[in-house]
Amino acid sequence: MHSTLSFSRATTVPTTNYAFHSQSPINLRFCGLRREAFGISILTRSSSGRVRLSTRGRSKRISASTGNNGTPPKSFDYDLIIIGAGVGGHGAALHAVEKGLKTAIIEGDVVGGTCVNRGCVPSKALLAVSGRMRELQSEHHMKALGLQVSAAGYDRQGVAGHANNLASKIRSNLTNSMKALGVDILTGFGTIVGPQKVKYGKVGFTDNIVTAKDIIIATGSVPFVPKGIEVDGKTVITSDHALKLEFVPDWIAIVGSGYIGLEFSDVYTALGSEVTFIEALDQLMPGFDPEISKLAQRVLINPRKIDYHTGVFATKITPARDGKPVIIELTDAKTKEHKDTLEVDAALIATGRAPFTNGLGLENINVVTQRGFVPVDERMRVIDANGNLVPHLYCIGDANGKMMLAHAASAQGISVVEQVTGRDHVLNHLSVPAACFTHPEISMVGLTEPQAREKAEKEGFEISVAKTSFKANTKAQAENEGEGLAKLIYRPDNGEILGVHIFGLHAADLIHEASNAIALGTRIQDIKFAVHAHPTLSEVLDELFKSAKVSFGSFLHCSQELLNFYLIRFCDYALTRHKLLLGLES
Amino acid sequence: MQTQFGSAVFPRLLRRSLSYIPSILYSLHSLLNLFHFFRFLSNSSPQSQKHKEMASPFLSNTIISFSSSLSSSSSLPRLAPSIPFSAIRSKSTPRRILTVRSKIREIFMPALSSTMTEGKIVSWVKSEGDVLSKGESVVVVESDKADMDVETFYDGILAAIVVGEGETAPVGAAIGILAETEDEIAEAKAKAASKSGASTPSAPPPAPTPAAASTPAPPKSTPAPAAPTVAEGPRKTVATPYAKKLAKQHKVDIESVVGTGPYGRITPEDIEAAAGLSPSKKNVGLAVVVETKPAAPAKAPAASAAPSSLPPPVPGSTVVPFTTMQSAVSKNMVESLSVPTFRVGYPVTTDALDALYEKVKPKGVTMTALLAKAAAMALAQHPVVNSSCKDGKSFTYNSNINIAVAVAINGGLITPVLQDADKLDLYLLSQKWKELVEKARAKQLQPQEYNSGTFTLSNLGMFGVDRFDAILPPGQGAIMAVGASKPTVVADADGFFSVKNKMLVNVTADHRIIYGADLAAFLQTFSKIVENAESLTL
């Protein structure tokens, strides 16, 4: 679930250092380190793993590998057990199978976790509906295209059905993909009973104990409900309830203006509700780049039937009952004084998500959670109460709180599998994109401008900002959706991309060019020569990269090594360019 | 509006002389346009260069200055959209123009690019009442290409914002008003109000009396047709987000609107009604949407009796959607079909009443008050006619006799209520009635002043109507339709002819609770009271 209100990027700062110079020499060094630490696991990765899986099927006691020399005599039921079959667990399981690990996944609820069942997936179904409603209702927009549509209406049950069908379809896809690959799906709540040992079982049944060489905790999160708020599931609801769309209130208050709140405001206003935002911080959409959130507010909030209260806490929310509406007490965030009382038809609590780590048995291995989150290092290795790493135990996804996004969890899972199969890997969280599926969409990767400025100040480099507008994009104009902005934050001295923020049509799909560039360490001076099909929205980013000004003069300050590297690269461009020119001439 | 303003400010002589000014100003205007053009060239050439440089569409936060005009506070603003005051004074205008007292300048939507025809206000950097000094950014405007800060050429006070954030205005339209001193703020505000006045439509001429007497006033379902002041009590105003937005947009004082939404909250429809707008189309579109509430779809087919079978409109006809008040009337009328009603007519001799009316007329007593008083006195003796049937199972006897009187106002219909009409004396009643009518015209009736009636009176006599038939408003037991009083030849028991003034009254009643005999007895009493009109003054 794309759900966090604040990114925990600060914690990943050490890793960014690698990312900034993520050229091969550095990576090699890590590989060396890693080999020392996990020497054995390279052997686990033997190609026979996969065959073993399919032939031995469900036999309980198998040794992890016959060819292991130097492993402890102990043998395990599985190479890898993942607790929690959400998107993170699923991603890890698939990658583990690909790497030849015998893998099991423990799920106490339904496969797919929050994302598929109560998050990203059904919400996209609702947003698909709201996007179309919005279009059909926009008389101005339709007229500009020369279309005539009579009043658009909707059938709530039908919309809710679409969301539900989508969730179950994706859920069965996930389940089937894991079954087809031979991942054992163990049903029940998983608890860690000791090192490399997990107990699982349903309530009322006897527990099974399985062992694995490595264990990944991927138990995810649940909606966070601040104290004082009484959730009745009808008029005071969380995203879990809202996605079922059991009713469309005339007026709904949304507590929290992060991703969840914004997306739901898009859905509800398109379906005819009026929305009141309640935000504890002084500004709406606090997680976004300020310029983007300003623009987003102008497009997504101000013209819609939305008002807002900022700098206030919803300290008490009483569901509608006894002929009274939902009553919300607002308290000033600073003075803690009562500020206002709202009377609305419904309230959606979108104040973020809390890790779901209770009952995991962490106490058995001396791990203490921090506000519920499982403490991990940058390699997702769990840290115990004494600050030591717990061997063979990892935690990914919302449960570690590093970056509460479905695809981040999946990426972390893959990173862990890479590690346990003998290749060191550190996920660069700054390359993980995030998106908010409003109409138009918002997406981002890397640092926001203030974050980048702070970092630049600290580390003593310059940053520059480039911007392009969707107004100048042919495809956007053809769609009559010229509202939008793409923003690039970069280092003018070496062309490194620090962050990209997009607000506009299909922004969520456009961000990947930037996130891939960051992940691969591609510099602006490289990427600006990449060709984009015309006319497409991707040209927005093309323009963006082309408009950035990288000064090569400052290279004199760089190390000789780097300079050489870039000189070679530069010759490359020259050559490419030359070829291009030739191509054009002929 | 403008002429009024003129007469307020200028002595008559000056006003005459002012009529020459437009032509003078016009020539001046063209001169000044030239001047502005040159100034624009010199000012903006770096700007345009910059634009060329940035052929690719980067958003830039360029600063652009707008020219603002000065216009007198009189009726001339649109004539001279860009003449600085000083220019008028120093050049060729005669001295007497100096009666133009204040310097109020308009802030225009600037042309930020050659292709720009309209601009959207992104945000006002300054708010109303802020003191501006020359060169300061005042407003951020979004053109077809970029967002730009717009700065002021003049010192002054931002007196009023005419075009709010998020709204668009064509290039050259006034988007704000700049006053030079604090004293002029009020004047500037008035001017701003007249600019945005388009949203407050002038009241439509009073319609010819609506057919039949019917009232749009059952307590719950009628949205406030006017803008009555907020109901008393400590309860705070609750308005939905869109209602607040609309109120701001149409400059409706939200505190003065009575909410008709759930829990008494102010809905966008209330604001639209208060602003005199027809409900926006969007809402109509969304009305289709309501599906969780079974009432709406169930009623829709009944109300719009098979729309497909309706004949196509005659070519050239215009379709005017109902106003809120009209929809309320329509809704009530359809609702009234569920009540089994019957009618009883009665001729009443009014010679005594007419005589009394002549006598008390100088004291401000109206015929309406007389009839209301007579009806109230009759009702006091026949409480069943004052009762109502709310649930189809019981009588509801009303403890008060509240006479609602149907009045046609501004194309609508409203029923101000004379409360406790039986207890008040004729003079108080007349006074009360005058107040109510005034309030109704000003759209300031409070809900209990138009929806608390227990019996309705509808009089079309003044049009010469001799008899008619009223529709019983939902929630009441009976309604009396009063025709004109006319000299009629009557024969008495002895066969003597005489001429008496006779008036036909016709009462429509709910037969679930009021039977023929009840009504007949009530009418007899009413007739006796009218025939012995002196009792009305007691």
Side-chain angles (χ1 to χ4, degrees):
Chain A
M1 179 106 191
H2 39 80
S3 59
T4 99
L5 285 176
S6 62
F7 293 106
S8 50
R9 282 180 182 167
T11 58
T12 60
V13 164
T15 62
T16 61
N17 291 333
Y18 313 133
F20 291 147
H21 317 284
S22 62
Q23 288 308 322
S24 43
I26 297 166
N27 254 354
L28 269 177
R29 198 154 51 82
F30 282 133
C31 285
L33 262 178
R34 219 222 61 73
R35 206 172 285 136
E36 224 169 303
F38 294 95
I40 42 162
S41 55
I42 290 172
L43 297 168
T44 341
R45 203 159 52 117
S46 64
S47 59
S48 62
R50 196 168 206 161
V51 182
R52 239 188 298 131
L53 252 182
S54 49
T55 50
R56 296 192 192 175
R58 280 161 195 270
S59 72
K60 275 280 166 175
R61 294 190 63 83
I62 45 162
S63 60
S65 165
T66 45
N68 267 351
N69 54 354
T71 38
K74 196 179 170 192
S75 59
F76 299 101
D77 298 336
Y78 293 98
D79 295 330
L80 179 66
I81 284 181
I82 303 159
I83 307 176
V87 168
H90 176 258
L94 257 53
H95 193 64
V97 170
E98 192 190 316
K99 289 286 182 180
L101 302 186
K102 177 172 168 50
T103 310
I105 197 160
I106 300 176
E107 178 57 58
D109 189 20
V110 282
V111 170
T114 297
C115 168
V116 173
N117 299 296
R118 300 172 299 274
C120 339
V121 172
S123 69
K124 292 306 99 50
L126 297 184
L127 283 157
V129 173
S130 78
R132 282 174 176 76
M133 274 301 282
R134 210 169 273 295
E135 238 168 72
L136 293 173
Q137 284 167 3
S138 167
E139 226 171 282
H140 174 72
H141 187 248
M142 284 287 159
K143 218 180 254 171
L145 294 173
L147 286 176
Q148 288 173 346
V149 180
S150 55
Y154 69 91
D155 159 33
R156 182 200 55 80
Q157 197 62 53
V159 178
H162 172 51
N164 192 33
N165 291 344
L166 179 70
S168 55
K169 195 183 290 170
I170 304 295
R171 183 165 61 232
S172 70
N173 285 353
L174 280 192
T175 314
N176 292 342
S177 72
M178 288 197 290
K179 277 186 182 151
L181 289 172
V183 175
D184 284 350
I185 300 174
L186 313 175
T187 310
F189 286 93
T191 307
I192 296 164
V193 287
Q196 296 168 297
K197 202 181 281 181
V198 180
K199 170 180 88 175
Y200 74 94
K202 281 183 171 171
V203 181
F205 291 86
T206 48
D207 290 340
N208 300 306
I209 290 183
V210 282
T211 56
K213 201 184 135 303
D214 294 290
I215 296 169
I216 298 179
I217 298 169
T219 45
S221 62
V222 291
F224 169 67
V225 179
K227 65 174 169 41
I229 295 177
E230 187 186 336
V231 172
D232 71 344
K234 290 189 179 67
T235 54
V236 179
I237 56 178
T238 65
S239 55
D240 288 3
H241 311 104
L243 288 165
K244 293 182 190 146
L245 201 71
E246 276 168 353
F247 94 118
V248 179
D250 290 341
W251 183 7
I252 184 165
I254 299 182
V255 186
S257 65
Y259 292 76
I260 306 177
L262 263 189
E263 290 191 355
F264 275 107
S265 79
D266 196 278
V267 170
Y268 279 118
T269 50
L271 299 186
S273 305
E274 294 181 41
V275 169
T276 295
F277 269 119
I278 298 165
E279 172 59 54
L281 297 176
D282 286 335
Q283 223 189 345
L284 287 179
M285 297 175 264
F288 299 91
D289 182 87
E291 200 165 352
I292 295 288
S293 67
K294 209 171 122 195
L295 179 64
Q297 177 164 344
R298 220 204 286 159
V299 177
L300 300 176
I301 309 279
N302 295 349
R304 297 186 180 170
K305 297 177 181 178
I306 301 177
D307 69 350
Y308 49 85
H309 300 262
T310 52
V312 289
F313 290 119
T315 35
K316 187 166 188 287
I317 301 186
T318 322
R321 61 166 87 97
D322 309 330
K324 279 191 193 149
V326 175
I327 294 170
I328 303 176
E329 303 273 341
L330 297 183
T331 304
D332 192 290
K334 291 194 188 81
T335 62
K336 310 286 176 211
E337 278 166 13
H338 175 83
K339 207 167 173 196
D340 208 346
T341 305
L342 301 182
E343 295 177 8
V344 293
D345 297 321
L348 169 66
I349 313 306
T351 43
R353 300 185 61 88
F356 180 61
T357 50
N358 270 348
L360 251 179
L362 292 170
E363 63 284 354
N364 299 334
I365 43 168
N366 192 27
V367 171
V368 178
T369 59
Q370 292 164 359
R371 291 180 299 123
F373 292 108
V374 178
V376 292
D377 71 352
E378 82 272 11
R379 288 178 175 76
M380 310 302 142
R381 295 177 292 197
V382 174
I383 299 167
D384 71 10
N386 306 324
N388 302 320
L389 295 178
V390 179
H392 306 294
L393 184 65
Y394 302 82
C395 177
I396 62 169
D398 288 2
N400 71 28
K402 269 189 184 298
M403 195 179 205
M404 296 174 85
L405 296 165
H407 48 274
S410 188
Q412 290 170 355
I414 289 167
S415 171
V416 168
V417 171
E418 283 290 298
Q419 288 172 53
V420 302
T421 53
R423 200 178 145 252
D424 186 39
H425 187 272
V426 174
L427 176 66
N428 175 10
H429 283 88
L430 284 177
S431 74
V432 177
C436 183
F437 295 82
T438 44
H439 296 93
E441 296 170 344
I442 310 171
S443 62
M444 70 192 76
V445 65
L447 304 173
T448 63
E449 191 177 334
Q451 283 168 341
R453 290 208 182 279
E454 195 186 322
K455 185 180 164 68
E457 184 121 339
K458 217 180 279 170
E459 297 176 17
F461 59 83
E462 290 285 308
I463 64 161
S464 290
V465 174
K467 283 177 251 179
T468 57
S469 162
F470 277 63
K471 282 196 181 97
N473 182 275
T474 313
K475 190 69 190 305
Q477 287 296 347
E479 302 280 345
N480 208 8
E481 304 264 8
E483 196 95 62
L485 170 78
K487 177 177 178 180
L488 166 71
I489 301 145
Y490 65 102
R491 281 181 69 160
D493 57 345
N494 63 8
E496 183 190 328
I497 301 169
L498 300 176
V500 173
H501 303 265
I502 311 175
F503 174 79
L505 186 63
H506 295 304
D509 293 315
L510 292 176
I511 195 69
H512 298 98
E513 187 168 4
S515 63
N516 288 353
I518 294 180
L520 301 176
T522 315
R523 303 289 161 119
I524 290 166
Q525 56 271 29
D526 299 331
I527 206 168
K528 73 199 294 183
F529 292 102
V531 180
H532 297 72
H534 176 77
T536 57
L537 291 171
S538 70
E539 289 171 291
V540 170
L541 285 197
D542 190 25
E543 285 280 350
L544 186 65
F545 293 131
K546 286 198 165 94
S547 67
K549 305 246 185 305
V550 180
S551 58
F552 282 86
S554 58
F555 266 56
L556 294 173
H557 305 297
C558 296
S559 70
Q560 193 61 41
E561 203 181 353
L562 263 175
L563 185 60
N564 282 343
F565 170 72
Y566 279 108
L567 271 177
I568 295 165
R569 282 293 185 91
F570 189 61
C571 291
D572 240 75
Y573 309 142
L575 200 65
T576 326
R577 236 176 143 179
H578 191 60
K579 276 182 194 160
L580 265 174
L581 279 173
L582 285 177
L584 278 173
E585 274 165 18
S586 62
Chain B
M1 173 93 199
Q2 290 191 341
T3 47
Q4 274 172 9
F5 213 132
S7 58
V9 172
F10 296 95
R12 184 174 291 182
L13 218 163
L14 273 175
R15 236 187 303 149
R16 198 181 304 158
S17 64
L18 269 174
S19 60
Y20 297 111
I21 293 173
S23 57
I24 300 168
L25 286 185
Y26 186 76
S27 48
L28 245 179
H29 183 201
S30 33
L31 240 169
L32 268 154
N33 268 353
L34 262 177
F35 166 71
H36 271 272
F37 180 61
F38 285 121
R39 192 170 58 172
F40 171 77
L41 278 187
S42 60
N43 263 355
S44 62
S45 53
Q47 207 70 53
S48 48
Q49 230 171 358
K50 201 167 177 183
H51 270 291
K52 260 175 224 155
E53 236 175 63
M54 310 203 317
S56 57
F58 313 140
L59 285 186
S60 56
N61 255 20
T62 19
I63 302 266
I64 284 230
S65 302
F66 62 83
S67 65
S68 69
S69 85
L70 165 81
S71 56
S72 73
S73 58
S74 76
S75 53
L76 298 169
R78 309 306 304 163
L79 281 172
S82 57
I83 300 181
F85 180 57
S86 54
I88 301 178
R89 192 159 37 178
S90 60
K91 291 200 175 170
S92 54
T93 327
R95 283 298 294 175
R96 57 190 171 212
I97 193 81
L98 282 177
T99 41
V100 175
R101 298 175 313 178
S102 55
K103 289 187 190 176
I104 294 168
R105 296 188 167 96
E106 288 173 13
I107 300 173
F108 288 142
M109 174 62 74
L112 301 177
S113 72
S114 53
T115 55
M116 179 172 162
T117 54
E118 60 169 30
K120 188 169 172 185
I121 308 288
V122 173
S123 58
W124 281 93
V125 181
K126 303 286 177 180
S127 42
E128 288 185 7
D130 282 1
V131 177
L132 309 178
S133 54
K134 197 174 157 183
E136 259 187 307
S137 292
V138 183
V139 59
V140 181
V141 170
E142 179 192 53
S143 73
D144 48 351
K145 293 213 171 60
D147 291 358
M148 297 192 192
D149 288 347
V150 176
E151 63 184 47
T152 169
F153 270 180
Y154 300 97
D155 296 341
I157 297 160
L158 183 58
I161 288 171
V162 179
V163 180
E165 288 182 9
E167 293 170 39
T168 48
V171 167
I175 55 175
I177 307 282
L178 196 64
E180 188 146 297
T181 62
E182 278 184 22
D183 310 336
E184 289 148 12
I185 289 180
E187 203 174 332
K189 280 210 165 120
K191 191 166 161 182
S194 74
K195 293 226 172 288
S196 55
S199 59
T200 345
S202 54
T209 317
S214 50
T215 98
K220 265 184 199 162
S221 54
T222 318
T229 45
V230 73
E232 291 98 354
R235 208 186 143 71
K236 65 180 204 119
T237 324
V238 176
T240 73
Y242 187 48
K244 281 187 212 154
K245 253 176 210 175
L246 277 179
K248 205 173 158 197
Q249 198 179 331
H250 298 297
K251 308 211 158 49
V252 172
D253 177 15
I254 209 146
E255 298 294 328
S256 70
V257 178
V258 168
T260 61
Y263 315 106
R265 76 170 68 123
I266 297 165
T267 63
E269 290 77 26
D270 296 335
I271 301 290
E272 275 167 349
L277 300 169
S278 53
S280 66
K281 276 185 198 156
K282 267 173 207 143
N283 290 339
V284 177
L286 280 172
V288 184
V289 152
V290 185
E291 51 79 47
T292 37
K293 292 153 202 159
K299 218 179 271 172
S304 61
S308 56
S309 68
L310 286 176
V314 180
S317 59
T318 47
V319 177
V320 181
F322 282 159
T323 62
T324 315
M325 193 195 273
Q326 286 161 344
S327 339
V329 171
S330 163
K331 187 170 160 283
N332 280 328
M333 290 304 94
V334 173
E335 219 172 283
S336 72
L337 292 176
S338 62
V339 177
T341 54
F342 73 113
R343 292 143 192 96
V344 175
Y346 205 97
V348 181
T349 310
T350 59
D351 291 288
L353 185 72
D354 294 343
L356 176 68
Y357 181 49
E358 285 309 315
K359 230 159 68 186
V360 294
K361 202 175 170 184
K363 295 175 187 161
V365 175
T366 62
M367 188 48 102
T368 303
L370 283 169
L371 289 171
K373 178 74 180 164
M377 283 169 72
L379 284 171
Q381 294 177 42
H382 300 271
V384 71
V385 184
N386 195 44
S387 71
S388 55
C389 179
K390 308 247 174 193
D391 52 7
K393 290 180 213 149
S394 59
F395 294 76
T396 304
Y397 286 100
N398 297 302
S399 50
N400 298 346
I401 294 174
N402 298 339
I403 308 287
V405 185
V407 205
I409 276 176
N410 299 344
L413 179 60
I414 191 149
T415 53
V417 174
L418 287 164
Q419 290 174 354
D420 293 318
D422 60 327
K423 299 197 181 86
L424 294 180
D425 73 45
L426 206 47
Y427 303 100
L428 273 176
L429 211 55
S430 301
Q431 205 178 333
K432 184 95 190 147
W433 178 243
K434 241 176 232 155
E435 284 170 25
L436 285 172
V437 170
E438 265 166 34
K439 270 189 174 175
R441 292 236 161 82
K443 299 189 171 184
Q444 277 172 353
L445 283 182
Q446 300 192 4
Q448 76 273 13
E449 289 177 320
Y450 60 79
N451 64 18
S452 61
T454 58
F455 180 88
T456 304
L457 192 65
S458 179
N459 183 3
L460 292 181
M462 54 290 216
F463 294 95
V465 168
D466 68 344
R467 80 200 82 175
F468 72 104
D469 182 5
I471 294 180
L472 180 66
Q476 291 184 23
I479 177 169
M480 178 185 276
V482 182
S485 170
K486 287 199 297 193
T488 313
V489 180
V490 288
D492 68 11
D494 298 323
F496 286 105
F497 290 105
S498 63
V499 174
K500 301 250 182 211
N501 283 337
K502 286 262 182 193
M503 166 179 93
L504 282 171
V505 298
N506 192 9
V507 178
T508 305
D510 183 348
H511 207 300
R512 290 173 300 178
I513 45 172
I514 302 164
Y515 306 156
D518 297 328
L519 216 48
F522 163 73
L523 280 167
Q524 200 178 19
T525 310
F526 177 76
S527 166
K528 281 215 176 94
I529 293 169
V530 171
E531 280 162 24
N532 302 294
E534 287 303 325
S535 65
L536 291 172
T537 57
L538 298 177

